[in-house]
Amino acid sequence: MGSVAQGFTKSLAMTILSEIGDKTFIAAAILAMRHPRRLVLAGCLGALIVMTMLSAVVGWAAPNLLSRTWTHHITTVLFFGFGLWSLWDGFKGDGDADELAEVEAELDADWKSSAGTNKEDSKNGDESKKKRRPFMAQFFSPILLKAFSITFFGEWGDKSQLATIGLAADENPFGVVLGGILGQALCTTAAVVGGKSLASQISERMVALSGGILFIVFGIQSFLSDVS
């Protein structure tokens, strides 16, 4: 297992290159244009922190279920696989604007659906509305919960989540969590502050190619390192 500093550095670099410009980044940017930024930032960042911690826990527990040798080799294969996957996406991808439009269309559809529901609910009394509200919505802002749910389920099973699991299995989990949280905070803050204009200017192809090269480097380093 590597040091805290090594896990932190790897996790920070991987998180930034995996998250910047992806769908959850774009969703946060668009949501911040329509709702209070502090609520969107709190919801999105909260979801990403929870996801990072859950992934790190799974990665930390993996060597207790399998031998450290097996987890090390699986992690090495994952790094090479994610590297080739990202490079392939970078070389064949040409739809940065298409993805932005796709995410915006999905949020617009959700927005219209929510607006229609709110119009129907407004016909009823305040007391009956409160009773029908979900339990969590009675204590937290609906906007915060919306940002949290969109981000959490958007990240579930994503390449960055699987990479975090693999990284935590091979490196110091505490360093992985710290680096991941800092990387998520930087990316999410940039999305919320920069908004749609920043999201549209980011070249997803360059991010994918850079991320692919980084994963390949991680894979080579893992392949050459001894299992400890």
Side-chain angles (χ1 to χ4, degrees):
M1 182 178 291
S3 65
V4 174
Q6 184 171 308
F8 173 85
T9 304
K10 282 188 173 183
S11 181
L12 177 63
M14 181 199 70
T15 300
I16 291 177
L17 289 177
S18 297
E19 294 300 326
I20 192 165
D22 76 344
K23 284 191 174 183
T24 52
F25 182 94
I26 296 172
I30 295 175
L31 285 171
M33 296 177 61
R34 303 176 178 180
H35 305 292
R37 289 181 176 179
R38 58 184 178 82
L39 295 177
V40 174
L41 179 61
C44 293
L45 187 56
L48 292 170
I49 290 175
V50 170
M51 183 66 71
T52 299
M53 296 179 69
L54 287 175
S55 301
V57 168
V58 173
W60 169 78
N64 297 320
L65 303 176
L66 299 172
S67 68
R68 181 158 292 280
T69 300
W70 272 105
T71 56
H72 178 79
H73 292 327
I74 291 173
T75 300
T76 302
V77 172
L78 282 176
F79 283 148
F80 280 118
F82 289 146
L84 295 175
W85 182 4
S86 296
L87 290 175
W88 173 255
D89 286 343
F91 283 122
K92 77 178 181 64
D94 57 355
D96 293 357
D98 291 342
E99 183 166 17
L100 178 61
E102 178 185 347
V103 174
E104 193 166 15
E106 291 176 0
L107 291 176
D108 283 338
D110 183 65
W111 176 264
K112 291 178 181 178
S113 175
S114 299
T117 303
N118 290 337
K119 286 182 179 179
E120 291 183 6
D121 288 346
S122 64
K123 297 178 181 179
N124 302 310
D126 292 338
E127 189 64 28
S128 60
K129 282 195 299 181
K130 186 175 181 180
K131 289 181 180 179
R132 283 204 302 270
R133 288 174 63 188
F135 176 78
M136 294 296 291
Q138 297 184 25
F139 301 95
F140 297 97
S141 165
I143 297 172
L144 187 149
L145 293 176
K146 179 180 180 181
F148 184 98
S149 61
I150 288 175
T151 305
F152 186 86
F153 292 110
E155 285 293 310
W156 188 262
D158 188 69
K159 179 170 54 180
S160 59
Q161 184 202 15
L162 299 177
T164 301
I165 293 174
L167 196 60
D170 210 38
E171 299 290 345
N172 187 290
F174 185 66
V176 172
V177 170
L178 290 179
I181 289 177
L182 178 59
Q184 301 287 13
L186 292 174
C187 291
T188 307
T189 302
V192 170
V193 174
K196 182 180 174 183
S197 59
L198 175 62
S200 63
Q201 292 175 11
I202 293 174
S203 172
E204 189 179 347
R205 169 176 289 181
M206 291 305 300
V207 172
L209 292 175
S210 300
I213 293 172
L214 183 69
F215 278 126
I216 295 294
V217 170
F218 285 174
I220 294 174
Q221 183 185 32
S222 180
F223 179 75
L224 296 177
S225 63
D226 295 328
V227 181
S228 56

